[in-house]
Each structure stands twice: as structure tokens, then as C-alpha cells.
Amino acid sequence: MDVKEVYEARERLRGHIKETPVVYAPNLGEDIYLKVEVLQDTGSFKLRGAYNKIATLSDEEAERGVVACSAGNHAQGVAKSASERGIKSVICMPYHAPLSKVKATRNYGAEVELVKDSFDDAAAFAKKLSEEEGYTFIAPFDDEKIIAGQGTVGLEILEELPDADIIVVPIGGGGLISGVALAAKSIKPDIKIIGVQTKISPSMYESVKEGKILTVKGGSTIADGIAVKTPGEITYEMVKEYVDDIVLVTEGEISSAILTLLEDNKIITEGAAASTVAALMYRKFNHKGKKVCCVLSGGNIDVTRVSKVIEKGLYKTNRRMELRIKLDDQPGQLTKISGLLEEQGANIVQIYQNVDLVGETIDSMIVSIIIDTKDKDHQGQILTALNQNSYVYKARYNDAQF
């Protein structure tokens, strides 16, 4: 694939997409920047590739209509682009796709087919419809026109940050990172491109590691936008050629990054987008003394999951802790432990008690207390106070489990 296709896509996209900003994020470290693709129309970079592909369809292909598979963002990009050209679009989405993304896709004018199980099952059904109904299949990532459209993200980054040393990009099927890497390295060959996947769905990571395309089982993840079981053939080859490293992040790390971006940067991101900041925050690669740009690929997070993300993020950042404390079932015991926690500056969020079913004594209870804390040191002070007062307890905080 030639980089000239990215420049051609750039001209094709003018006036049809936003050139999203690159913003400085000093809270994340010195010389750290964010490419805020969450501000893109449809809330995701996917519009770029979808529009570029659909704009290049022949009149005959356009007449037949298009079909695509997507967990949500590609769906919206295809639906919006097809509607602008007056083309029928059918989108196959996994049954578990966030309701907000399903609704948005329909609002852009597409017919939505919900397919049980995974993204790959939705892809298989979309290809079946393509063969049976004659629709043109708009691949989510493994297509040169799609890749070229996504590559315009890389051009924009280096126009604003010509001295960038590292660009960090989320990886699902590999379309975004392939395009960004191709574009960026054509301008600045020594720039480093770091890809990020989740530990739950590391398909490109494992494929590159083993030297062949692999399918991973995967599982439920907050980063549903990059939960792809099998990388593309084109993207796999491009990642091998242009990407310098791929790192993995956990669900807790992603949740922590979403929370940080929301609180400190006032930016709402979905899990896939926040994975790049998670990789930065948890030092998955060496960036000391480097100018880094993290691509925030989309902001279409399902509102029903936001509370779960915040909760997980609070635990991961040492700002919430759960204690299970053994107490005598006597008057004043709850008041005493509450007073101790108050003295330590902890805010009690929730408290409930149960009979100690496995203890040796009949008159004992287990009190579960969820508290808000300031940081790791504060949590340590609280545990020290419990020890000094001879309480028997278990604690859950950060990665520590009962």
C-alpha cells in the first residue's frame, strides 16, 4: 500500500469530517499530547475510513447498497457516509453492542441486524448478506481505502506536532494503527508507533509474537471497540512492517485512564480510546524525555457502563477500599469502628453487616465497609490504625483482593 492513498483520502475527506485537535495534557506528564478524535462526527475516527471507502464506490456498487459489521463505531461511520451519498446501508452488530451505538446507527439511516455472540459472528453474517443480496461489503479494517482514511489521523498529528517522538494507537483489527503508522513514518521515519491491546483480547499482539495470524478466544471487556478475535491480513502485514511495539493493558488500567481523562482533562472516552492513556499511565513503554501523542479514538461509551468504570477506576487509583471487619455483636461496636475511620479521614460510602457464619464464636459479625480514600498512603494509614487497635479484617483495594 502506498502512502499516496492517504493523501488522496485527505483531499476526499475535506469538508466531510472534522480535523480534530491535538491538546496538551500536562497532568499525564511532560510533553504528553492527546489527539482528540472523540470530537469527530459520529464520535469516532471510524468515519474517516468509512467515508473514504464509500466515496470511491462505483455507481453500480452504490446502487446495490452496502453492508458492514461493527461493534458500534464503524457502524455509525458507514451509516452516516452512506446516507450522505443516498446509499442503502445494512449494519450487522453483535447482540451485546451498547444500546447507544445501536440507536445512533439507526438514527444515521441504517438498517441494523443484531447477531448473537461475537463481532466475528456479526462479520460472518454481514458477508453472507453481501453474497445473497449483492450488497458491497464495507470491511471494518482490512481494506486499503479504509486504512487510507484512518491514516489521515497520522497526517494531522504530525502537522500539529512535527517533533513528536511517539504516537500511541489502540489496536483492534489494525486499520487505525496501520494507516497512522504508514502516514507518520512516511513523514518522519524515526518516529515510534506503539500499539495497545487489552489482555483479554490480544489478537494482534499474539499474532505478531507468533509470526502468523491467530484467532484468540477473547472475552467481555470495557474496550469493546478493540475486542477483535482475528486481525486482518493486510493490517497484520502492515503492523509487522511499521509498528515498533504492541503492549497490553488490563481492565482496571483502562478504567483508571477513563476516570483520569474525565476528571482531569474533561474528556469522555470509551474503553478502546482510553487504552492508549492507560499504557502511558502504567508505563507499558519507555517515554522518558519523549514527546508523546496518544490517540483517543472515540467517545461512544455506553452510559450504562459508566458507573462500573468509575467504580473500577476508583479502586485502581487507590481512592476506594472495602474492608471486612470481624466485630463482637454488641452495642457500640459499629459506632466505634466508624469513629476510628472518621479519625483517619475516610469517608464511609456504604456499610452493612452479616452474621459470622464460619467464626468460632456465636456472638460475632462481619461488617463490610466501603470507604473513599485519598491515595495509597492514606489507605496504608487506615490499615495501620486497624492493626494498632487489634481489629481482625480483610481489605480489597487496587489489585489486592479478599
Side-chain angles (χ1 to χ4, degrees):
M1 181 174 172
D2 196 294
V3 72
K4 71 178 183 180
E5 294 186 51
V6 181
Y7 285 96
E8 289 171 356
R10 179 73 179 278
E11 295 306 311
R12 213 171 277 127
L13 294 175
R14 288 190 190 279
H16 297 281
I17 64 151
K18 293 177 182 175
E19 293 192 5
T20 55
V22 173
V23 299
Y24 181 44
N27 63 297
L28 295 172
E30 187 176 353
D31 265 351
I32 305 300
Y33 295 80
L34 306 172
K35 174 62 169 169
V36 193
E37 199 66 4
V38 302
L39 297 177
Q40 186 57 259
D41 291 340
T42 74
S44 163
F45 76 96
K46 286 286 190 175
L47 178 63
R48 297 171 182 264
Y51 189 89
N52 190 51
K53 176 67 177 180
I54 288 174
T56 57
L57 294 178
S58 67
D59 290 340
E60 182 183 352
E61 289 172 322
E63 180 67 26
R64 293 200 303 265
V66 299
V67 65
C69 62
S70 171
N73 289 335
H74 180 58
Q76 294 172 63
V78 171
K80 185 176 190 298
S81 301
S83 292
E84 283 191 19
R85 195 173 166 185
I87 297 173
K88 177 184 177 180
S89 62
V90 178
I91 311 295
C92 301
M93 304 179 73
Y95 193 78
H96 57 74
L99 180 61
S100 59
K101 293 183 179 182
V102 174
K103 182 179 178 181
T105 302
R106 287 186 173 130
N107 288 343
Y108 283 121
E111 295 180 14
V112 175
E113 293 280 352
L114 294 177
V115 182
K116 286 187 176 181
D117 298 324
S118 70
F119 168 86
D120 297 84
D121 297 304
F125 188 69
K127 289 175 182 176
K128 180 182 177 183
L129 286 180
S130 176
E131 294 169 1
E132 293 177 350
E133 305 295 334
Y135 301 135
T136 298
F137 180 69
I138 309 296
F141 47 80
D142 208 33
D143 180 290
E144 291 190 356
K145 289 293 189 293
I146 296 289
I147 294 169
Q150 322 302 28
T152 59
V153 171
L155 297 182
E156 291 175 17
I157 290 173
L158 285 182
E159 284 174 359
E160 291 204 47
L161 287 179
D163 55 344
D165 298 302
I166 301 172
I167 300 177
V168 193
V169 189
I171 302 179
L176 177 60
I177 197 167
S178 295
V180 168
L182 174 65
K185 294 218 169 188
S186 72
I187 298 168
K188 189 177 181 181
D190 63 341
I191 195 167
K192 301 296 182 185
I193 307 296
I194 306 293
V196 186
Q197 289 203 296
T198 70
K199 285 189 175 181
I200 287 177
S201 192
S203 56
M204 187 69 82
Y205 173 88
E206 293 294 342
S207 296
V208 171
K209 180 181 174 182
E210 296 299 322
K212 60 182 178 181
I213 295 176
L214 299 175
T215 297
V216 300
K217 184 178 180 181
S220 177
T221 171
I222 184 62
D224 58 283
I226 52 175
V228 177
K229 290 183 178 180
T230 310
E233 294 179 8
I234 298 171
T235 56
Y236 167 73
E237 294 297 334
M238 292 184 72
V239 166
K240 283 202 305 179
E241 182 174 357
Y242 296 111
V243 175
D244 296 282
D245 195 14
I246 301 174
V247 299
L248 303 178
V249 292
T250 68
E251 298 298 290
E253 289 164 349
I254 294 171
S255 296
S256 174
I258 292 174
L259 188 60
T260 296
L261 288 164
L262 179 61
E263 282 193 313
D264 298 342
N265 303 93
K266 316 308 175 190
I267 299 172
I268 298 174
T269 57
E270 58 192 81
S275 67
T276 58
V277 172
L280 180 88
M281 289 172 57
Y282 291 95
R283 302 187 178 279
K284 304 294 182 174
F285 61 95
N286 181 21
H287 56 83
K288 185 177 181 180
K290 303 294 184 181
K291 181 168 287 189
V292 181
C293 182
C294 295
V295 177
L296 303 184
S297 54
N300 294 319
I301 188 169
D302 184 1
V303 293
T304 62
R305 306 186 82 180
V306 171
S307 62
K308 296 178 184 178
V309 171
I310 292 174
E311 183 83 4
K312 202 169 187 69
L314 288 171
Y315 276 100
K316 185 64 181 176
T317 54
N318 300 104
R319 292 165 57 195
R320 182 156 291 181
M321 179 165 64
E322 183 175 355
L323 301 168
R324 291 182 183 175
I325 306 172
K326 186 173 182 177
L327 299 176
D328 292 333
D329 192 4
Q330 296 177 0
Q333 292 299 307
L334 280 178
T335 301
K336 184 178 178 182
I337 188 64
S338 297
L340 176 64
L341 293 173
E342 183 181 353
E343 289 173 5
Q344 298 302 316
N347 178 49
I348 296 176
V349 176
Q350 188 178 53
I351 184 168
Y352 55 96
Q353 68 182 65
N354 292 294
V355 175
D356 183 5
L357 297 175
V358 296
E360 294 183 1
T361 61
I362 192 67
D363 292 322
S364 66
M365 60 181 176
I366 300 296
V367 176
S368 296
I369 306 176
I370 297 175
I371 57 176
D372 281 341
T373 55
K374 298 174 184 177
D375 51 30
K376 186 176 181 179
D377 289 341
H378 188 205
Q379 291 180 343
Q381 292 168 13
I382 292 168
L383 297 182
T384 297
L386 291 172
N387 291 330
Q388 289 174 343
N389 285 271
S390 301
Y391 280 106
V392 177
Y393 68 89
K394 291 182 179 179
R396 182 167 70 93
Y397 55 95
N398 198 340
D399 292 325
Q401 300 295 324
F402 291 126

